[in-house]
Amino acid sequence: MSNLRQTRRSLPIALLRARETVMEPIREMLSTSGVNEQKWRVLRILEEQGPMELSHVARDACLLLSSLTRMVGPLQDEGLVTRSTPADDRRKSVLAITAAGVALIQAHSAISAGIFQQIEAEFGKDRLETLLDLLEDLRKIDLPRGEKG
Amino acid sequence: MSNLRQTRRSLPIALLRARETVMEPIREMLSTSGVNEQKWRVLRILEEQGPMELSHVARDACLLLSSLTRMVGPLQDEGLVTRSTPADDRRKSVLAITAAGVALIQAHSAISAGIFQQIEAEFGKDRLETLLDLLEDLRKIDLPRGEKG
DNA sequence: TCAAAGTATTTAACAAAGCAAATAATCGCT
DNA sequence: AGCGATTATTTGCTTTGTTAAATACTTTGA
């Protein structure tokens, strides 16, 4: 009945648009790197957190496990990661970044840092900190997850 | 303060993860709607802003124009949008949501509002407002765009 | 009026990711 | 040993990203 013309702000769209803004220069940087956005995320996560199980990498990189599985082969072929099976649980598969993978990230670290600094300069250091805090906290909220089935 | 953790916080990944958190229940909602995330965005934008040129819809929905073009046919076939060519400039193509499209959105508006309310309750109303403000401002910053060529 | 330049959209082709369902290998527990 | 749960892989299909080129229309200016 009540038809309030609610141009209510949409959190999903706001997040998407902000991400597009930030990713534009990063995508440009990656266009000369030989890896795409998803592979870049995987490498960064492995570099920061060390060897990890596939499912944990998928969770942290926001990738489906099946998508991650599919890209591991190419990543190995490019010499950027290695995989191994821990003896204590042979269902698992542990991914680790190679020296070449680290080198790839470091080769772009200057540009990457420059982009981040520009964002910081344009946006303000404390506001950026606040934003990062809020985003991390948002990640932690407990929404009722739909159990399919 | 302690310098235990060296992990630098990544804005792109933080944005992506926050978005995944928010989108999870929304994707579940959409799984019964017959439209995917992208189509949902297009319909919401048309519903809120009225008939719009394709390129403007693409910009607001964070879609490539070619991707949007590709989905217009199916959206028409499903009876959710109509397109027309304005007489004053026949290069353009204007998209408008149909009654069925509005009905589709309204059929899920209760669930959608519920999700948003839960986010608000878990996260806090003013922090959410702050987050939305920051995200919108981030969108406005002027990063040096790479001119390819 | 006509050609050139500009704008809006379309099309095509390939790589890649989402998604869902089936399969396999392994582990924990009884 | 055997059963159910966990972890990962595979597969088939759909969709989008991406790039480049083509098409259709409009504007500009000689």
Side-chain angles (χ1 to χ4, degrees):
Chain A
M1 276 303 194
S2 61
N3 203 348
L4 313 174
R5 194 43 164 169
Q6 46 184 1
T7 312
R8 193 171 46 197
R9 300 196 290 178
S10 164
L11 181 59
I13 290 186
L15 287 166
L16 179 56
R17 288 186 186 151
R19 193 173 126 77
E20 290 301 305
T21 301
V22 172
M23 285 307 294
E24 191 184 321
I26 295 181
R27 291 208 182 96
E28 195 201 340
M29 174 189 81
L30 290 181
S31 67
T32 66
S33 73
V35 298
N36 63 14
E37 207 182 311
Q38 288 80 1
K39 287 181 178 175
W40 180 259
R41 283 208 301 274
V42 169
L43 292 178
R44 289 257 342 235
I45 285 166
L46 290 175
E47 189 222 7
E48 284 188 1
Q49 305 186 23
M52 294 170 71
E53 294 171 31
L54 279 186
S55 52
H56 292 172
V57 176
R59 189 227 311 129
D60 290 356
C62 295
L63 285 171
L64 292 179
L65 184 55
S66 63
S67 297
L68 179 59
T69 295
R70 205 161 17 191
M71 48 196 290
V72 168
L75 280 171
Q76 279 180 303
D77 295 344
E78 297 161 36
L80 301 174
V81 306
T82 58
R83 84 191 315 167
S84 60
T85 299
D88 64 316
D89 188 344
R90 300 184 48 227
R91 290 171 299 184
K92 297 180 180 174
S93 195
V94 167
L95 228 50
I97 193 169
T98 64
V102 173
L104 189 152
I105 288 182
Q106 288 181 346
H108 295 79
S109 62
I111 299 177
S112 182
I115 294 170
F116 194 73
Q117 279 172 11
Q118 268 166 349
I119 293 174
E120 211 173 51
E122 283 271 341
F123 193 64
K125 186 175 172 63
D126 20 332
R127 296 175 76 213
L128 190 55
E129 290 297 319
T130 306
L131 176 58
L132 283 165
D133 287 341
L134 289 172
L135 289 172
E136 283 174 8
D137 288 352
L138 182 60
R139 172 79 164 164
K140 291 177 198 152
I141 67 173
D142 193 24
L143 292 177
R145 48 184 59 222
E147 347 250 334
K148 294 185 183 179
Chain B
M1 287 298 164
S2 69
N3 201 7
L4 290 179
R5 187 183 293 253
Q6 174 67 18
T7 43
R8 52 189 182 262
R9 301 198 290 178
S10 165
L11 181 58
I13 291 186
L15 287 166
L16 179 55
R17 287 186 186 152
R19 192 173 127 76
E20 289 300 304
T21 301
V22 172
M23 284 308 296
E24 190 185 323
I26 295 181
R27 290 210 185 95
E28 194 201 340
M29 173 189 81
L30 291 181
S31 68
T32 65
S33 73
V35 298
N36 63 14
E37 205 182 312
Q38 287 81 358
K39 287 180 179 176
W40 180 257
R41 281 207 302 276
V42 169
L43 293 179
R44 290 255 343 236
I45 285 167
L46 290 176
E47 190 222 7
E48 283 188 3
Q49 305 186 23
M52 293 170 71
E53 294 172 30
L54 278 185
S55 52
H56 293 172
V57 175
R59 188 228 311 130
D60 289 356
C62 293
L63 286 170
L64 292 178
L65 182 56
S66 60
S67 297
L68 178 60
T69 295
R70 202 165 22 191
M71 47 196 291
V72 168
L75 281 171
Q76 280 181 303
D77 295 345
E78 296 161 34
L80 301 174
V81 306
T82 58
R83 87 190 311 168
S84 59
T85 299
D88 64 315
D89 190 342
R90 298 179 50 220
R91 289 171 299 187
K92 297 179 181 174
S93 194
V94 167
L95 229 49
I97 192 169
T98 63
V102 174
L104 189 152
I105 288 183
Q106 287 181 345
H108 295 81
S109 63
I111 298 177
S112 182
I115 293 170
F116 194 73
Q117 279 173 10
Q118 268 167 348
I119 292 174
E120 208 173 75
E122 283 271 341
F123 193 63
K125 185 176 173 63
D126 20 335
R127 296 174 76 212
L128 190 54
E129 291 297 318
T130 305
L131 176 57
L132 283 165
D133 287 341
L134 288 172
L135 290 172
E136 283 174 8
D137 288 351
L138 182 60
R139 172 77 162 163
K140 291 177 197 152
I141 68 173
D142 193 23
L143 291 177
R145 47 184 61 221
E147 4 239 327
K148 294 186 184 177

